[in-house]
């Protein structure tokens, strides 16, 4: 009796663990968001020249968890070795990090503006990079979940200034 009960308990625990890890890999948006932002940063690298910080501005209506945002922040900080903020343009100006009269900004503002998921394995993320008078860029980045990982399959600039 105890053996059967033990086997059932082990089976249930295993099934629950698989369900949790399986759902995390499908729900977590840190990886596709991180890939889309990295793709944008690598586009028009002149905008990155001498950058001392990156500010991340997530649309409040986007699906994302605090752990996703933290993962993105840690990745960008380690990859680009700059300070990471979570400030909008207005907040950057208010904190003195952007001067309206300055033509050479010390950082870039990255925004995730829109996310569309056509199915579990494909999504398009609209992202933008802004450095004020020096320019900005908006792109639609299409990603696909292939071989247990997200990959950028297309990146189309939609606006450049």
């Amino acid at each position: 009796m105890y053996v059967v009960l033990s086997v059932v308990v082990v089976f249930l625990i295993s099934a629950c663990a698989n369900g949790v890890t399986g759902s995390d890999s499908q729900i977590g948006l840190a990886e596709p968001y991180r890939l889309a932002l990295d793709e944008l940063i690598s586009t028009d690298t002149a905008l990155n020249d001498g950058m001392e910080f990156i500010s991340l501005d997530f649309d409040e209506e986007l699906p994302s968890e605090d752990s996703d945002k933290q993962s993105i922040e840690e990745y960008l900080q380690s990859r680009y070795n700059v300070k990471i903020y979570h400030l909008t343009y207005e907040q950057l100006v208010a904190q003195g990090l952007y001067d309206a009269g300055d033509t050479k900004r010390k950082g870039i503002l990255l925004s995730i503006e829109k996310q569309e998921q056509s199915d579990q394995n494909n999504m398009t993320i609209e992202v933008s990079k802004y450095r004020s008078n020096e320019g900005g860029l908006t792109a639609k980045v299409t990603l696909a979940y292939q071989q247990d990982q997200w990959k950028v399959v297309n990146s189309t600039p939609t606006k450049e200034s």
Side-chain angles (χ1 to χ4, degrees):
M1 178 78 158
Y2 290 112
V3 172
V4 172
L5 186 57
S6 297
V7 169
V8 170
V9 169
V10 167
F11 176 74
L12 288 174
I13 291 172
S14 174
C16 290
N18 286 339
V20 169
T21 57
S23 65
D24 281 350
S25 65
Q26 295 298 323
I27 293 172
L29 292 170
E31 184 66 14
Y33 285 175
R34 195 168 52 220
L35 286 168
L37 290 170
D38 213 21
E39 180 72 20
L40 185 66
I41 291 171
S42 67
T43 304
D44 193 357
T45 56
L47 290 177
N48 308 337
D49 188 44
M51 105 178 128
E52 296 176 11
F53 69 85
I54 293 173
S55 186
L56 297 170
D57 184 14
F58 292 91
D59 184 303
E60 291 181 17
E61 307 227 352
L62 285 174
S64 62
E65 300 289 326
D66 287 340
S67 59
D68 292 335
K69 293 175 183 178
Q70 182 178 354
S71 176
I72 293 166
E73 178 180 335
E74 289 169 358
Y75 170 79
L76 292 173
Q77 198 284 321
S78 67
R79 176 152 168 89
Y80 297 101
N81 197 29
V82 295
K83 178 116 175 101
I84 306 295
Y85 297 103
H86 291 278
L87 302 171
T88 64
Y89 173 78
E90 292 78 15
Q91 292 168 328
L92 287 167
V93 170
Q95 292 198 12
L97 294 168
Y98 265 8
D99 178 1
D102 190 1
T103 59
K104 182 72 174 164
R105 307 293 182 215
K106 294 180 181 177
I108 60 173
L109 174 62
L110 298 177
S111 299
I112 299 177
E113 299 170 358
K114 191 175 182 182
Q115 180 242 322
E116 297 172 1
Q117 192 156 358
S118 56
D119 59 43
Q120 265 188 319
N121 297 322
N122 296 287
M123 74 171 59
T124 301
I125 302 172
E126 190 170 318
V127 289
S128 66
K129 173 169 67 169
Y130 177 72
R131 191 142 179 190
S132 192
N133 295 343
E134 296 174 40
L137 176 67
T138 301
K140 283 189 176 185
V141 180
T142 304
L143 301 110
Y145 192 73
Q146 303 170 342
Q147 300 172 340
D148 295 331
Q149 64 182 357
W150 285 100
K151 297 179 182 179
V152 174
V153 293
N154 189 30
S155 179
T156 307
T158 57
K159 181 180 171 187
E160 293 184 55
S161 58

